[in-house]
């Protein structure tokens, strides 16, 4: 099994080691998918922050004080 962190941090070495085992790893495709993942993750975090702030306001709480991030 491949470590996702290793793929993100040292993709060239991973691709080279896989090639030594006769496996062609499509680096460009992985990087495109990784870019999409980062975009989705950022958007998800934005939405979670917005939702938490709205819920806090709906409860009448001080948003800056109650939400630690």
């Amino acid at each position: 099994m491949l470590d996702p962190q290793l793929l993100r941090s040292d993709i060239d070495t991973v691709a080279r080691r896989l090639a030594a085992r006769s496996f062609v790893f499509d680096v460009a495709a992985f990087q495109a998918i990784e870019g999409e993942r980062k975009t989705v993750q950022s958007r998800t975090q934005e939405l979670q922050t917005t939702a938490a702030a709205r819920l806090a306001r709906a409860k009448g709480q001080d948003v800056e004080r109650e939400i630690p991030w």
Side-chain angles (χ1 to χ4, degrees):
M1 186 163 147
L2 296 175
D3 179 13
Q5 283 299 94
L6 182 60
L7 280 169
R8 293 179 190 125
S9 66
D10 198 5
I11 194 166
D12 293 327
T13 300
V14 171
R16 203 169 36 255
R17 291 181 69 189
L18 288 171
R21 298 177 184 171
S22 301
F23 183 85
V24 177
F25 184 73
D26 190 344
V27 173
F30 176 81
Q31 289 174 328
I33 292 168
E34 181 64 11
E36 290 178 32
R37 183 198 64 79
K38 287 179 182 179
T39 300
V40 169
Q41 183 177 10
S42 293
R43 182 65 179 139
T44 300
Q45 289 172 342
E46 290 171 9
L47 291 171
Q48 288 173 336
T49 300
T50 301
R54 287 182 179 176
L55 286 171
R57 278 192 215 104
K59 292 180 179 179
Q61 297 172 348
D62 181 8
V63 174
E64 295 300 319
R65 187 174 48 102
E66 296 294 326
I67 300 175
W69 61 91

